[in-house]
């Protein structure tokens, strides 16, 4: 190449030399005679490259000024005290590494210059465009938000949920109800049984003098299927059975003798053969204190099954992390199940063997949003396929068979909704023929935000009567409508875990003041107030203005139930007693 030839790079020519500002080097300080004696060194020669390399190293170590050249014969340059600018890493000269890398041949990556289409069609990629890793394995790729665009890749499509494919089939539900009829409407105020019917000023109730009590709060109760036994659940870790037919004498005291921790029982139900009692509640560590709960540390809470005859625990089911608040025994398509709710937010169905003690499998309801699940009630005439649960501040509808949340009816109460039951409303308006859809009536209660004091809200509590309408066509949705609300300015019930009941004509709602408010479901009016839970009378208790003699503290009522075929009403509360009412003659 001649001296005046111009080198072309990538098709572009450099600017003319006349337009460049080139600095002319300073003339040498030595005499011409001295310079003429120095040999001329080819810049591409090996010696020139070695001198250049050694010079760069010494300059970076600040041994040589920038205008001096290293003597290649000096093999021991002075050490620099400044290590921050050194080009050595772990005593390896990076200049040597870079020089070695420069001598390596260029990488031959054929795909570097390939187009996207060529790259996707190459053998290194599978048919779906994902990079293969190893032998036939597809590398994992990051999920992208639906709708985003990126050349060469498809947008991420989230997996389809089971609820998206769920279709309500009214014909299948009717067929199931005919195969497995329920007995929800067997007992109510208008049947031939002697159940309590009317409760008002003209038909008052009176309390019977039987003594049913425990050493601590009685949180819940249940009756055996034949109505002969009453079970009470106490926070002192014991369940007591009382004979309804023999002056309410205690016949059994059930306790898990092998349990080393602290137990509290909240709920339970007799199994249909009345040989077993399934129970749930709270389990606490006897040797560990929780400052947050101001109580013993809570442990995973099991379901316990007791044999009534022997009084022994015969089975235990593990699955809930916190206290169990509701439990029911039922049959679905001829098979045995328990279903439980918990403060951990889970609803679990337990598939049991024919003996009701051997677990064959358990399934959690597919929910993912519930914080606390309180009570459950199955829809009438559906073969136990559907149930409604009081969860958080809402009512939620589930498919029991599919273990799937179908619908949520939101914001029933400002704090939480802790009780709901299907009832037969005896005085419901007669159908005029315009609404021929199947429906069921449902009562609920809840707590309001306590903005005044502990358990006290500026808003009186309410109970609500709902109408749940079934879908009339395939793929339809259930509809929940409010029919009536029951309230009173003195009705306050912002306690945790309180249950209401109904005989089809009256709705009974406990309060925090030891009362039971009785509402007429047809008129919505308060017809009676029962007050027998007054707590323990204390002598000489210190009050605000001094010593108060014979002080009585109101105790909260937790549960109230009608006897199905006897004129009896039961209530229990934090005073550790059960009150029994009957019609006054």
């Amino acid at each position: 190449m001649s001296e005046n030839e111009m080198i072309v790079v990538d098709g572009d020519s450099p600017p003319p030399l006349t337009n460049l500002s080139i600095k002319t080097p300073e003339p040498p300080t030595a005499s011409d005679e001295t310079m003429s004696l120095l040999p001329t060194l080819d810049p591409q020669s090996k010696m020139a490259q070695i001198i250049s390399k050694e010079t760069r190293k010494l300059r970076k170590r600040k041994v040589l000024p920038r205008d001096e050249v290293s003597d290649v014969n000096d093999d021991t340059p002075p050490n620099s005290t400044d290590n921050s600018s050194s080009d050595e890493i772990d005593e390896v000269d990076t200049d040597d590494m870079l020089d070695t890398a420069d001598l390596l041949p260029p990488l031959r990556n054929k795909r570097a210059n390939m187009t996207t289409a060529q790259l996707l069609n190459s053998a290194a990629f599978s048919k779906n465009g994902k990079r293969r890793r190893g032998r036939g394995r597809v590398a994992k790729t990051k999920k992208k938000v639906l709708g985003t665009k990126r050349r060469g890749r498809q947008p991420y499509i989230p997996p389809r949920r089971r609820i998206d494919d769920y279709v309500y089939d009214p014909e299948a539900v009717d067929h199931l109800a005919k195969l497995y009829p329920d007995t929800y409407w067997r007992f109510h105020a208008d049947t031939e049984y002697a159940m309590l019917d009317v409760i008002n000023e003209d038909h008052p109730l009176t309390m019977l003098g039987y003594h049913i009590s425990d050493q601590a709060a009685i949180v819940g109760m249940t009756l055996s299927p034949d109505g002969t036994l009453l079970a009470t659940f106490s926070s002192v870790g014991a369940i007591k059975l009382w004979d309804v037919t023999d002056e309410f004498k205690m016949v059994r005291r059930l306790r898990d003798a092998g349990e080393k921790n602290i137990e509290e029982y909240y709920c339970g139900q007799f199994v249909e053969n009345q040989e077993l009692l399934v129970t749930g509640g709270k389990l606490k560590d006897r040797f560990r204190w929780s400052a947050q709960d101001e109580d013993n540390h809570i442990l995973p809470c099991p379901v316990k099954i007791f044999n009534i005859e022997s009084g022994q625990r015969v089975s235990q089911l593990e699955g809930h992390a916190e206290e169990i608040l509701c439990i029911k025994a039922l049959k679905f398509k001829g098979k045995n199940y328990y279903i439980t709710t918990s403060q951990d937010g889970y609803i679990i169905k337990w598939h049991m063997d024919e003996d009701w003690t051997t677990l064959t499998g358990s399934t959690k309801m597919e929910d993912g949003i519930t914080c606390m699940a309180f009570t459950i009630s199955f829809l009438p005439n559906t073969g136990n396929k559907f149930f409604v649960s009081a969860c958080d501040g809402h009512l939620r509808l589930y498919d029991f068979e599919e273990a799937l949340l179908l619908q949520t009816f939101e914001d029933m109460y400002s704090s939480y909704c802790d009780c709901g039951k299907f009832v037969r409303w005896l005085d419901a308006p007669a159908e005029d023929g315009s609404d021929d859809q199947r429906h069921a009536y449902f009562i609920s209660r809840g707590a309001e935000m306590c903005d005044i004091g502990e358990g006290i809200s500026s808003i009186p509590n309410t109970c609500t009567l709902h109408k749940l309408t079934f879908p009339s066509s395939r793929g339809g949705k259930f509809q929940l409508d409010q029919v009536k609300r029951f309230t009173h300015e003195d009705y306050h019930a912002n306690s945790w875990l309180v249950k209401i009941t109904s005989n089809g004509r009256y709705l009974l709602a406990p309060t925090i003041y030891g009362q039971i408010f009785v509402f007429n479901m047809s008129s919505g009016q308060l017809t009676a107030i029962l007050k027998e839970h007054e707590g323990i009378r204390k002598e000489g208790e210190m009050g605000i203005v001094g010593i108060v003699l014979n002080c009585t503290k109101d105790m909260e009522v937790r549960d109230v139930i009608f006897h199905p075929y006897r004129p009896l009403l039961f209530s229990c509360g934090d005073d550790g007693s059960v009150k029994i009412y009957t019609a006054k003659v």
Side-chain angles (χ1 to χ4, degrees), residues 235-253:
S235 59
V236 292
I239 304 162
K240 291 184 178 181
L241 304 180
W242 312 83
D243 190 344
V244 176
T245 63
D246 188 11
E247 298 182 342
F248 300 97
K249 295 178 181 178
M250 188 181 74
V251 294
R252 285 288 186 278
R253 184 174 184 267

Side-chain angles (χ1 to χ4, degrees), residues 505-521:
R505 181 159 287 127
Y506 292 89
L507 185 151
L508 278 65
T511 74
I512 62 174
Y513 301 124
Q515 306 160 311
I516 301 173
F517 276 45
V518 181
F519 295 98
N520 185 299
M521 293 181 63

Side-chain angles (χ1 to χ4, degrees), residues 14 38 57 79 136 196 255 427 447 482 552:
L38 293 175
K57 291 166 63 175
N79 295 329
L196 284 175
R255 191 181 185 93
D427 301 319
Q482 177 182 307
T552 301

